[in-house]
């Protein structure tokens, strides 16, 4: 101590739990309204800036939303945040445009129908004010460009001035509904003036109905154009696409293979992972999800149906069947059952924004992994522990095979995933955090809030921190209603820079902020 001048500051505690509020809903259902299968949302994705949001549905459509509150007091929002300027408004989005990305197809060689459902959407780098994105169904990936185009409207010719209307269409007079007849070159078929003959002369007073074409208005329309189609590269259903940080390449993954593409080349891809055995009877696991590292263009991770995550380095070999690292949790002795492998299957993985951590979702839990430590997850969050006694019933109605997605906040302090009854869970993953919030996808997200006391952290070693929370949730909500396994919240996304979540409940897109 220098004369007692120094002040010892206590270490900052974990962040306070967030209070979530309803922001917006698109496609809200009225009571008793039947949801069409084609309208059910099947993919959600924010772009890197958070200013655009894309959703895909089972009807093959992609809908784009844009943020409307990015400017305040004439200063960009990000500059205000840097200046610690108080911003009271929460993120707000509006409908931008939509387009038909995929159509139903038929594979004549295999006699299989290929449905139009959008499996994944990924945003690419913007250029010249245009938006670029990748979308895929089970077999075909498409590269889309969405750009504003100026559409010029030209007025017609041979219109009397009082009959010319603003958009250039022909206005009918009160006396006659028949338009004035015109020739292709703008002349009139009326031969009384003989001006189409060689001895053409202007009639006295000129031609009262002759009018040259002029631009009457310029409108700006959003036009979506398919730039490239990447096809015939997967024998099995595509479950993932992920674009690389180099801005030039992306990967696509199906059950047995991962292919590397260049965005500019649609007729050729490189197979970088192939887990297909020589004899299909020897097949023990399949690929369930794959994603590029957010900053290292040579690294990617993929998960398997056995609950393992493999990290591979493209610099090691052209065919990356041998992984650089594998992350898996050893099975507890005596815990094996018929359902062990089914519930261990990882349905989704996501890299944290800095690339240090990987979040994985299996049927029962969320797990957070440190890529520098493959001895086990640094945190485990119980999502569906209350369903363990019901696994037989869930197997009978196929719910046990539901594929829930997961997401991380931009600051890496929280994780989220969906559940049944249109509920989703938010957990704090900062050291010492006990945050475990259950929210409902409705206009009152806290309506079915279930208070789940958290178990204390149990340290397995000096460097491993395992947090198990949410296991005490019973099979009923706070109002005593049993959970509804037919309404499931599979898809959600966290805004890249703010505490804002977009989630899909059937055909409705709900947005929340904290």
């Amino acid at each position: 101590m220098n004369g007692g001048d120094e002040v010892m500051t206590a270490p900052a505690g974990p962040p306070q739990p967030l209070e979530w509020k309803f922001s917006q809903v698109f496609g809200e259902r009225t009571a008793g309204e039947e949801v069409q299968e084609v309208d059910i949302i099947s993919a959600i994705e924010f772009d890197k800036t958070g200013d655009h949001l894309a959703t895909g549905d089972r009807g093959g459509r992609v809908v784009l939303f844009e943020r409307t509150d990015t400017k305040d007091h004439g200063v960009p929002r990000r500059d205000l945040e840097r200046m610690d300027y108080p911003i009271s408004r929460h993120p707000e989005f509006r409908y931008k445009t939509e387009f038909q990305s995929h159509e139903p197809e038929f594979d004549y060689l295999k006699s299989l129908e290929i449905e139009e459902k959008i499996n994944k959407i990924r945003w690419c780098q913007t250029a010249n004010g245009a938006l670029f994105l990748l979308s895929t169904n089970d077999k075909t990936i498409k590269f889309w460009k969405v750009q504003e185009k100026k559409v010029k409207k030209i007025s017609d010719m041979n219109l009397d001035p009082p009959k010319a209307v603003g958009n250039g269409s022909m206005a009918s007079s009160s006396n006659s509904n028949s338009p004035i007849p015109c020739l292709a070159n703008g002349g009139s078929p009326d031969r009384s003036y003989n001006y189409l003959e060689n001895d053409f002369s202007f009639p006295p007073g000129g031609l009262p109905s002759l009018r040259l074409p002029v631009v009457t208005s310029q409108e700006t329309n959003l036009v979506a154009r398919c730039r490239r189609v990447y096809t015939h590269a997967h024998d099995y259903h595509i479950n993932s696409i992920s674009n690389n940080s180099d801005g030039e390449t992306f990967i696509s993954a199906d059950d047995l293979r991962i292919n590397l593409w260049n965005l500019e080349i649609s007729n050729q891809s490189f197979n970088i992972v192939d887990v297909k055995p020589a004899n299909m009877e020897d097949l023990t696991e399949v690929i369930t999800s794959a994603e590029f590292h957010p900053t290292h263009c040579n690294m990617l991770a993929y998960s398997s149906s056995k609950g393992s995550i493999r990290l591979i380095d493209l610099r090691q070999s052209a065919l990356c069947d041998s992984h650089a690292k594998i992350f898996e949790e050893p099975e507890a002795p005596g815990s094996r059952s018929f359902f062990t492998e089914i519930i261990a299957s990882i349905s989704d993985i996501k890299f944290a924004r800095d690339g240090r951590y990987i979040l994985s979702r299996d049927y029962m839990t969320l797990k957070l992994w440190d890529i520098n430590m493959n001895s086990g997850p640094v945190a485990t969050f119980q999502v569906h522990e209350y369903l363990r006694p019901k696994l037989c019933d869930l197997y009978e109605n196929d719910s046990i095979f539901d594929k829930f997605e997961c997401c991380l906040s931009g600051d890496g302090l929280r994780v989220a995933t969906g559940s049944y009854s249109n509920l989703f869970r938010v957990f704090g993953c900062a050291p010492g955090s006990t945050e475990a919030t259950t929210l409902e996808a409705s206009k009152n997200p806290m309506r079915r809030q279930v208070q789940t006391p958290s178990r204390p952290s149990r340290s397995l070693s000096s460097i491993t921190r395992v947090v198990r929370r949410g296991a005490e949730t019973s099979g009923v909500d706070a109002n005593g209603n049993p959970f509804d396994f037919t309404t499931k919240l599979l898809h959600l996304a966290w805004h890249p820079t703010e505490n804002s979540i977009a989630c899909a409940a059937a055909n409705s897109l709900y947005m929340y902020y904290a």
Side-chain angles (χ1 to χ4, degrees):
M1 302 288 285
N2 296 330
D5 292 338
E6 289 187 9
V7 178
M8 296 295 289
T9 57
Q16 291 296 313
L18 296 177
E19 183 181 347
W20 292 92
K21 301 181 183 69
F22 169 78
S23 172
Q24 290 173 280
V25 59
F26 296 95
E28 185 182 18
R29 283 175 291 161
T30 57
E33 181 184 352
E34 188 175 343
V35 179
Q36 299 297 317
E37 178 82 10
V38 294
D39 294 331
I40 295 176
I41 296 173
S42 56
I44 301 179
E45 185 78 6
F46 280 105
D47 71 348
K48 284 186 177 179
T49 64
D51 291 339
H52 293 92
L53 174 68
T55 66
D57 64 25
R58 294 188 184 180
R61 292 175 302 242
V62 172
V63 183
L64 304 185
F65 302 88
E66 66 178 350
R67 191 164 175 177
T68 58
D69 65 315
T70 48
K71 290 185 182 268
D72 204 343
H73 302 286
V75 182
R77 185 183 180 95
R78 291 188 195 86
D79 294 342
L80 294 173
E81 288 169 348
R82 256 183 240 114
M83 296 184 294
D84 289 333
Y85 193 93
I87 301 173
S88 58
R89 297 187 65 186
H90 56 82
E92 289 182 4
F93 286 79
R94 71 179 177 192
Y95 169 86
K96 186 178 179 75
T97 188
E98 67 180 87
F99 55 90
Q100 189 71 32
S101 174
H102 287 73
E103 301 279 359
E105 301 173 49
F106 191 80
D107 187 334
Y108 292 97
L109 292 177
K110 298 183 178 179
S111 295
L112 287 176
E113 287 186 9
I114 303 170
E115 61 179 354
E116 63 271 35
K117 185 188 89 162
I118 305 295
N119 290 343
K120 295 289 179 185
I121 297 173
R122 289 292 180 266
W123 290 91
C124 302
Q125 292 180 352
T126 59
N128 300 325
L131 302 174
F132 295 89
L133 47 89
L134 289 164
S135 63
T136 185
N137 65 353
D138 287 338
K139 295 289 185 180
T140 305
I141 307 160
K142 294 186 179 182
F143 183 46
W144 291 92
K145 177 182 182 181
V146 182
Q147 190 175 28
E148 288 187 344
K149 293 278 189 182
K150 285 186 176 179
V151 180
K152 295 180 179 179
K153 293 202 171 183
I154 312 296
S155 69
D156 295 336
M157 300 171 66
N158 279 2
L159 283 179
D160 292 327
K163 294 182 180 180
V165 292
N167 63 359
S169 62
M170 188 169 291
S172 60
S173 67
S174 58
N175 298 329
S176 172
N177 291 327
S178 59
I180 299 174
C182 305
L183 294 178
N185 63 356
S188 170
D190 186 356
R191 307 281 295 194
S192 59
Y193 298 125
N194 295 325
Y195 60 82
L196 292 179
E197 298 175 359
N198 293 333
D199 56 344
F200 171 75
S201 61
F202 278 98
L207 288 170
S209 62
L210 180 63
R211 183 173 168 83
L212 292 176
V214 293
V215 176
T216 55
S217 65
Q218 279 194 357
E219 292 185 359
T220 303
N221 289 345
L222 277 166
V223 178
R225 190 161 63 92
C226 184
R227 294 287 303 273
R228 283 175 188 83
V229 179
Y230 314 89
T231 187
H232 305 308
H234 288 279
D235 291 330
Y236 303 91
H237 290 177
I238 298 171
N239 55 49
S240 303
I241 52 174
S242 178
N243 37 349
N244 199 346
S245 58
D246 64 8
E248 296 180 359
T249 56
F250 71 94
I251 54 169
S252 58
D254 64 20
D255 292 343
L256 299 180
R257 292 187 177 95
I258 300 177
N259 292 331
L260 178 69
W261 302 82
N262 188 299
L263 281 168
E264 302 297 322
I265 303 170
S266 60
N267 59 357
Q268 184 182 38
S269 65
F270 297 94
N271 178 229
I272 55 175
V273 175
D274 189 347
V275 300
K276 185 178 181 179
N279 184 358
M280 284 296 281
E281 291 181 0
D282 298 331
L283 183 67
T284 58
E285 65 181 331
V286 296
I287 298 167
T288 57
S289 183
E291 184 165 270
F292 260 119
H293 190 282
T295 55
H296 297 165
C297 62
N298 55 285
M299 291 175 64
L300 62 100
Y302 70 92
S303 60
S304 82
S305 57
K306 277 194 168 180
S308 60
I309 302 170
R310 290 173 174 84
L311 193 68
I312 61 177
D313 191 334
L314 297 174
R315 298 172 298 185
Q316 288 184 341
S317 150
L319 188 62
C320 303
D321 290 343
S322 58
H323 51 266
K325 282 185 178 180
I326 184 168
F327 305 90
E328 53 189 357
E329 194 169 25
E331 191 178 304
S335 65
R336 188 163 187 81
S337 72
F338 172 76
F339 304 109
T340 300
E341 280 198 15
I342 300 175
I343 62 176
S345 177
I346 294 175
S347 56
D348 190 27
I349 59 170
K350 291 284 193 323
F351 272 101
R353 201 175 186 192
D354 60 1
R356 172 71 184 270
Y357 297 95
I358 299 174
L359 181 67
S360 68
R361 172 72 153 99
D362 56 46
Y363 189 72
M364 306 297 283
T365 64
L366 268 176
K367 291 186 176 78
L368 191 67
W369 307 80
D370 186 334
I371 65 170
N372 296 332
M373 187 184 76
N374 54 2
S375 59
V378 294
T380 299
F381 308 99
Q382 301 290 350
V383 181
H384 281 163
E385 187 62 30
Y386 66 91
L387 293 178
R388 200 171 286 276
K390 301 181 175 68
L391 290 179
C392 269
D393 297 334
L394 294 165
Y395 179 78
E396 288 293 325
N397 62 22
D398 285 344
S399 293
I400 200 169
F401 301 106
D402 287 335
K403 292 176 169 53
F404 292 93
E405 293 180 1
C406 58
C407 57
L408 298 97
S409 61
D411 55 17
L413 297 178
R414 293 173 181 85
V415 295
T417 190
S419 181
Y420 293 104
S421 298
N422 283 342
L423 300 178
F424 63 100
R425 313 289 306 276
V426 178
F427 299 98
C429 54
S433 174
T434 58
E435 182 175 355
T437 309
T438 303
L439 301 153
E440 182 187 40
S442 69
K443 286 188 173 180
N444 183 7
M446 310 296 282
R447 181 169 69 90
R448 294 170 70 162
Q449 173 68 30
V450 183
Q451 294 299 330
T452 56
S454 302
R455 294 177 182 172
S457 304
R458 297 187 297 178
S459 179
L460 298 184
S461 68
S462 59
I463 58 172
T464 307
R465 176 178 54 83
V466 177
V467 186
R468 301 186 180 273
R469 295 203 293 279
E472 292 80 3
T473 307
S474 65
V476 297
D477 62 22
N479 302 322
N481 301 318
F483 284 102
D484 181 5
F485 297 113
T486 61
T487 56
K488 55 198 79 169
L489 198 151
L490 302 176
H491 311 286
L492 76 172
W494 200 303
H495 191 283
T497 58
E498 298 179 30
N499 287 320
S500 176
I501 291 179
C503 57
N507 66 326
S508 303
L509 176 67
Y510 287 91
M511 306 193 72
Y512 303 94
Y513 72 99

